[in-house]
Amino acid sequence: MQTLSDFDREFGTDEQCRAFLAKMRWRDGVRCPRCKASEKVYALAARPYHWVCKSGAETVDKQTGEVMVCHKRNGYRFSVTSKTIFEDTKIALNLWFKVGYLMLTSKKGISALQIHRVIFGEKSTHDYHTSWFICMRWRAAMAGDMYQPLSGVVEADETYIGGKDRNRHAAQKSARQRELGIGGHRYGKIGVIGAIERKGNVVARVIGSQDAPTLSAFVRKVVDKKVSLVVTDENKDYNYVDRNLPHESVKHSAGEYVRGEVHTNSIESFWSLLKRGVVGTYHNVSAKYLPFYLNEFSFRFNNRNNEAMFADLITTCSQ
């Protein structure tokens, strides 16, 4: 990726950012974000980066079920930010871009508080929640980085995100646990499952249950049916992975970590990166927002060798 000074020269003004956003959104010409039509879409001369669609097409809102029409007479007016994460905000577009750039160039992530200090300053009229809002919008957009089914040698593993039970305040432990003095390394933590293609992409998801149907269903969903090998640890729940998939496990409990090409070192390296980011950068991540942080770490990892990573991020920002 380019340096920060190069980035500022290319995206220092709102005009530059709007031009780049339009280019990334509509590589083959402007399309109506409502009906997806390109015919009868006219630029508004008095308002740069604004258009009107008079296609007459009908579309149905996926959330409300409402039928919307781009009328042939009055038309549907839209701008370059319509139906994107930037819509209906008063925050300058170049600030949005810089926050996204900082998030991509920070290997272990960057907190909203640190972004607030760097970009807005302590005495800015923007409060911390503005920075947090921008960061979360970007993390939501990173879910648009759709993955192809993983192939070759694929490793699958689950982990747990959260602090140690012994460090929790007594009020956060159940009365039964305080009575028995028990906790367990998984108590109060959030289960996450992931799969990684050797020297390729990673897919990670929060899971509500760690049972066999959940783990095996995830593996079947993200792995190509022509995969050469699926590697897991000795967790017996992975035994329910599709019988047609070649499957080997490494026995950590017996002190075995590598057996030829059978190991889970790649996915464990990703878990290590994720946990260092959570502990060292964010300090605490709730179950509600953890999926967004998984989006961020996965997107950044999957595009680690992509020189056009920021441009590709811009293409995912449409709703």
Side-chain angles (χ1 to χ4, degrees):
M1 289 185 65
Q2 58 198 155
T3 64
L4 185 58
S5 57
D6 292 336
F7 183 87
D8 286 338
R9 280 194 294 271
E10 187 172 354
F11 303 109
T13 66
D14 259 21
E15 173 68 22
Q16 291 173 307
C17 295
R18 290 179 188 277
F20 187 75
L21 177 59
K23 178 182 177 181
M24 292 296 102
R25 285 194 74 182
W26 302 302
R27 297 174 187 263
D28 301 321
V30 178
R31 287 183 173 273
C32 174
R34 175 187 279 181
C35 69
K36 310 303 179 184
S38 58
E39 306 83 8
K40 298 186 178 180
V41 173
Y42 309 100
L44 299 179
R47 302 189 69 186
Y49 300 106
H50 284 73
W51 296 266
V52 60
C53 174
K54 296 186 178 182
S55 66
E58 294 186 1
T59 54
V60 179
D61 189 288
K62 294 181 180 179
Q63 296 181 343
T64 64
E66 178 186 359
V67 177
M68 300 175 293
V69 183
C70 298
H71 293 285
K72 292 184 178 181
R73 182 174 181 180
N74 297 325
Y76 165 66
R77 296 195 175 197
F78 62 94
S79 71
V80 69
T81 60
S82 296
K83 306 297 183 182
T84 71
I85 63 172
F86 317 115
E87 188 176 24
D88 295 331
T89 67
K90 298 180 180 179
I91 305 166
L93 199 56
N94 62 330
L95 292 180
W96 276 94
F97 274 38
K98 180 166 284 190
V99 171
Y101 175 81
L102 291 174
M103 292 175 69
L104 291 183
T105 53
S106 303
K107 186 175 181 180
K108 299 175 187 175
I110 182 170
S111 68
L113 187 58
Q114 180 64 16
I115 283 179
H116 183 75
R117 294 192 189 104
V118 170
I119 295 183
F120 298 110
E122 299 288 354
K123 298 182 180 180
S124 171
T125 54
H126 296 286
D127 63 13
Y128 157 75
H129 293 92
T130 300
S131 302
W132 183 88
F133 170 80
I134 296 175
C135 289
M136 295 307 295
R137 281 288 186 98
W138 275 124
R139 291 184 183 112
M142 290 176 189
D145 178 35
M146 300 302 292
Y147 61 88
Q148 296 294 323
L150 305 178
S151 59
V153 179
V154 176
E155 303 170 21
D157 188 31
E158 77 282 354
T159 191
Y160 301 88
I161 306 296
K164 296 180 179 178
D165 186 48
R166 65 171 178 265
N167 295 333
R168 298 179 188 277
H169 191 277
Q172 294 178 307
K173 300 180 182 180
S174 69
R176 181 62 175 167
Q177 286 176 313
R178 291 197 299 272
E179 177 184 342
L180 299 178
I182 62 174
H185 74 284
R186 298 180 183 179
Y187 169 69
K189 296 189 177 185
I190 309 166
V192 177
I193 189 172
I196 189 171
E197 181 181 310
R198 294 268 172 88
K199 298 183 179 180
N201 289 353
V202 66
V203 181
R205 297 286 184 268
V206 174
I207 49 177
S209 173
Q210 294 85 39
D211 57 15
T214 301
L215 301 186
S216 58
F218 170 82
V219 174
R220 288 195 299 269
K221 181 178 180 180
V222 302
V223 169
D224 190 278
K225 296 199 179 293
K226 296 183 180 180
V227 64
S228 60
L229 180 64
V230 176
V231 182
T232 66
D233 58 21
E234 70 269 40
N235 187 338
K236 62 182 180 180
D237 290 334
Y238 286 113
N239 293 336
Y240 294 89
V241 171
D242 193 336
R243 302 295 183 185
N244 296 321
L245 298 179
H247 176 213
E248 294 281 349
S249 60
V250 60
K251 299 180 180 179
H252 292 164
S253 60
E256 181 186 53
Y257 293 92
V258 178
R259 188 177 72 252
E261 65 176 356
V262 180
H263 63 78
T264 56
N265 294 344
S266 300
I267 188 64
E268 287 171 3
S269 294
F270 177 76
W271 292 148
S272 178
L273 183 66
L274 172 65
K275 290 179 179 180
R276 286 201 301 271
V278 170
V279 174
T281 302
Y282 305 114
H283 308 307
N284 181 48
V285 175
S286 69
K288 179 180 180 181
Y289 294 113
L290 181 57
F292 295 97
Y293 289 89
L294 291 179
N295 290 347
E296 176 188 354
F297 277 84
S298 299
F299 184 93
R300 195 162 47 230
F301 182 88
N302 293 343
N303 289 277
R304 60 196 180 278
N305 298 318
N306 182 7
E307 292 294 329
M309 177 164 52
F310 181 77
D312 288 347
L313 174 61
I314 294 299
T315 63
T316 71
C317 69
S318 300
Q319 297 175 356

